[in-house]
Amino acid sequence: MTTTKASPKNRSEKELIVMGLSITYAICVGIFAAIRLLNQDWMIGLLDVVLALFGLYVFVVVWQTRKTEFPALAMAIITVVGTIATIILKGPDQVYWAYPSVALVFYLLPTRQALVLWLISAAVILYLLIDLPTIKLVSIAMTLFITSFFCHVFSSKMHQQHARLRRAAHEDVLTQIKNRRAFNRDTELLESSTQPESAILFDLDHFKKVNDYFGHATGDRVLKQATEAVKAQLDHPELLYRIGGDEFAILCPGEDFNHAYQLAKDIHQQFNAGALHEEHGLTLSMAVSQKEYNESVREWLGRLDSALFKAKKSGRDCIIKAVRY
């Protein structure tokens, strides 16, 4: 078993989106700031400088912290505030800034959050334009509504599609639990943890005989039954992973070795008293370990892997403590 070492290069899609939009915003608004300052349009030029610097600030924050929720919200708010301020300072002709603003808001934020923010912003913008001729005001209102509607539909579909893709990428199709990719992702997050972190690695002894004698359909059914049997022993079933074949893992975040070892014993005992042991003679080989404070995730999982191998070589149906020497 291997895991991918955490790296600043492995940025999430959300990080890339927020950084990309914020730096693009900073550059574009910065260009307008330079032009306006050269034309001695000081007030709006200084406003553009502030907005461009804020876009750059959001980029730096996400780059350094890798957090996106608050920076994305702040970027969306400052964008609509900047649009409203520009209309106030330069007049109704600046309303065209509302169109890229609505797209950015719906692209950055969850759909419901984006809808609330934009409805308030659109109401303020239309109020500022209330003195325009009726036909012009209605035209602006309708184009804003149509643009907002399509941005909302696109955002909803995009978030739904991304959610389905994330589930598909991190879920085992057969057992409906998290897969190896999810395990690698979740263990990466423990790299710099200061809390006790423990894990259990186990596989089904003699599972190959089930496939050989009864066929893969029965083997699949056994894997699903084994998954359900282990899940029943867990307070947090979402921390169970199928990482390949008949090999599984359980993460115990924030828990020490004693907790994980007791959990392993409970699972082992209940499994041996269950239907799969009775029907097919299946047992569990298990390894338990706690991550040391000065140990990398790769080293920690390597110890677990070695301990599971030792359990298989020691006659199976046992629990090995993966001790660091």
Side-chain angles (χ1 to χ4, degrees):
M1 179 186 64
T2 59
T3 186
T4 304
K5 188 176 181 180
S7 168
K9 295 181 181 180
N10 297 331
R11 294 191 178 275
S12 69
E13 180 185 14
K14 185 67 173 180
E15 288 177 68
L16 296 175
I17 289 174
V18 176
M19 288 194 299
L21 289 177
S22 60
I23 197 65
T24 301
Y25 181 86
I27 292 171
C28 293
V29 176
I31 292 172
F32 276 94
I35 294 172
R36 282 165 172 160
L37 291 175
L38 287 173
N39 292 331
Q40 298 184 350
D41 193 354
W42 303 116
M43 186 171 294
I44 193 68
L46 289 174
L47 173 63
D48 284 346
V49 168
V50 172
L51 295 174
L53 288 175
F54 188 84
L56 183 61
Y57 170 74
V58 169
F59 175 86
V60 172
V61 168
V62 177
W63 177 273
Q64 292 182 340
T65 67
R66 307 192 68 167
K67 296 179 180 178
T68 60
E69 185 173 351
F70 180 75
L73 177 60
M75 190 71 230
I77 291 174
I78 202 68
T79 299
V80 297
V81 168
T83 298
I84 292 170
T86 302
I87 295 172
I88 292 173
L89 293 173
K90 296 291 288 185
D93 289 344
Q94 302 297 311
V95 72
Y96 54 77
W97 282 108
Y99 299 99
S101 294
V102 63
L104 187 144
V105 166
F106 276 100
Y107 205 72
L108 278 176
L109 300 181
T111 305
R112 188 172 299 177
Q113 200 175 66
L115 189 60
V116 171
L117 176 60
W118 183 246
L119 285 175
I120 295 172
S121 304
V124 173
I125 290 170
L126 292 175
Y127 175 78
L128 294 173
L129 305 178
I130 198 69
D131 292 330
L132 288 176
T134 302
I135 187 63
K136 192 170 184 179
L137 180 61
V138 171
S139 298
I140 292 172
M142 291 303 296
T143 54
L144 272 179
F145 171 76
I146 293 170
T147 304
S148 302
F149 175 76
F150 282 113
C151 285
H152 171 64
V153 171
F154 174 78
S155 174
S156 299
K157 295 297 182 182
M158 181 186 70
H159 285 294
Q160 290 171 7
Q161 182 66 16
H162 284 181
R164 284 195 294 267
L165 290 173
R166 281 193 294 270
R167 284 196 299 270
H170 294 95
E171 185 177 275
D172 179 61
V173 176
L174 176 65
T175 59
Q176 303 296 300
I177 60 174
K178 291 182 179 179
N179 61 14
R180 187 190 195 94
R181 181 182 304 213
F183 182 74
N184 289 342
R185 177 201 62 190
D186 293 348
T187 52
E188 281 181 11
L189 300 177
L190 305 179
E191 186 72 57
S192 58
S193 173
T194 58
Q195 302 295 317
E197 310 293 351
S198 299
I200 303 168
L201 194 63
F202 66 95
D203 70 8
L204 305 180
D205 300 324
H206 312 296
F207 175 73
K208 187 177 183 299
K209 293 181 179 179
V210 175
N211 271 338
D212 291 344
Y213 287 116
F214 299 100
H216 290 283
T218 299
D220 289 348
R221 178 178 59 81
V222 165
L223 284 173
K224 289 190 282 188
Q225 287 180 318
T227 299
E228 293 303 316
V230 174
K231 281 173 64 176
Q233 302 299 314
L234 302 178
D235 293 331
H236 301 285
E238 70 276 8
L239 297 177
L240 174 64
Y241 307 78
R242 183 187 178 201
I243 56 178
D246 61 338
E247 189 172 346
F248 297 79
I250 300 169
L251 284 183
C252 304
E255 301 291 353
D256 61 13
F257 175 86
N258 291 333
H259 173 91
Y261 188 68
Q262 183 59 53
L263 177 60
K265 289 200 297 184
D266 292 342
I267 292 172
H268 189 266
Q269 180 180 357
Q270 290 299 320
F271 192 88
N272 282 352
L276 291 177
H277 177 72
E278 182 72 24
E279 184 177 355
H280 298 290
L282 297 180
T283 55
L284 299 179
S285 290
M286 310 184 78
V288 185
S289 178
Q290 177 177 333
K291 181 181 178 296
E292 302 293 342
Y293 75 95
N294 60 346
E295 183 180 32
S296 70
V297 165
R298 184 182 294 273
E299 292 170 329
W300 172 42
L301 297 180
R303 280 198 292 122
L304 264 175
D305 209 27
S306 297
L308 183 61
F309 181 77
K310 182 179 179 181
K312 302 295 284 187
K313 292 296 183 181
S314 300
R316 301 182 173 88
D317 192 22
C318 62
I319 305 173
I320 298 293
K321 299 177 181 180
V323 180
R324 187 186 189 194
Y325 295 101

